Amino acid sequence: TSSQEKVLGEIFKDMERDLPMARLLQGDVGSGKTVIALAALLKAIGNGYQGAFMVPTEILAEQHCLNIKDDLEKYNVNSAILTGSLSKEEKERVKSLLKDGNLSLVIGTHALLEEEVEFLNLGLVVIDEQHRFGVAQRGVLLEKAKRRPDLLIMTATPIPRTLALTFYGDLDI
């Protein structure tokens, strides 16, 4: 849509700046926030970075994986899911691929915050339903990068705290 094109242009412009992006993407359920996030992730990955897409539930992580799988395959993007219910062996495999840089995108839950999760070159963090994560949790994920990564947080419900972050200049909307 024209709104998506406008927002994507703003996000790409932010991603090209020297300062890390910190942007809130707010829209109704079904308005296309995930499409915008995917485009931003593909831009970061295309520039040699890894992306992390954190969501609050395993069901949502699985939905995102299924919904964007075809798009990712079209662009030869290696991706995986990382959630608490994975087997120990699968978790270790995903962590190893992330650390070595052989995984471009990880979609996961709070499992991404585990101390053992390391990235070779994290460039973009996308957080869906950001109001379900605390400031410290977002900080833990951002600190996993060698340099401060771009941050795109998404919400369909702009609760007062989120609006305050925007108002006081911590986020662009």
Side-chain angles (χ1 to χ4, degrees), residues 17-148:
R17 294 176 47 202
D18 289 335
L19 296 173
M21 173 180 68
R23 184 170 285 272
L24 169 68
L25 178 59
Q26 189 273 323
D28 293 336
V29 172
S31 65
K33 295 182 298 292
T34 303
V35 171
I36 297 297
L38 178 59
L41 286 161
L42 288 173
K43 180 176 179 62
I45 292 165
N47 285 317
Y49 295 100
Q50 292 170 298
F53 194 162
M54 187 166 70
V55 299
T57 66
E58 291 191 18
I59 291 172
L60 190 54
E62 291 168 6
Q63 275 181 329
H64 280 318
C65 283
L66 290 172
N67 290 339
I68 65 177
K69 181 181 179 184
D70 292 339
D71 292 322
L72 294 176
E73 287 176 357
K74 194 182 325 179
Y75 294 102
N76 296 318
V77 172
N78 297 326
S79 66
I81 190 170
L82 185 62
T83 63
S85 68
L86 292 179
S87 68
K88 183 177 180 181
E89 294 79 22
E90 184 61 13
K91 283 181 192 175
E92 293 306 316
R93 185 186 76 78
V94 171
K95 290 175 189 177
S96 176
L97 290 170
L98 277 173
K99 185 177 181 178
D100 295 341
N102 294 318
L103 191 60
S104 299
L105 173 63
V106 63
I107 300 170
T109 58
H110 293 80
L112 294 175
L113 304 176
E114 293 176 9
E115 190 174 325
E116 310 84 43
V117 176
E118 297 178 50
F119 293 84
L120 181 67
N121 197 18
L122 181 60
L124 176 61
V125 170
V126 176
I127 301 177
D128 198 2
E129 296 189 32
Q130 73 86 29
H131 58 277
R132 305 220 5 222
F133 296 97
V135 173
Q137 290 173 317
R138 289 193 302 268
V140 166
L141 189 52
L142 293 172
E143 292 299 319
K144 291 182 178 283
K146 290 183 174 82
R147 68 162 191 86
R148 185 88 175 174

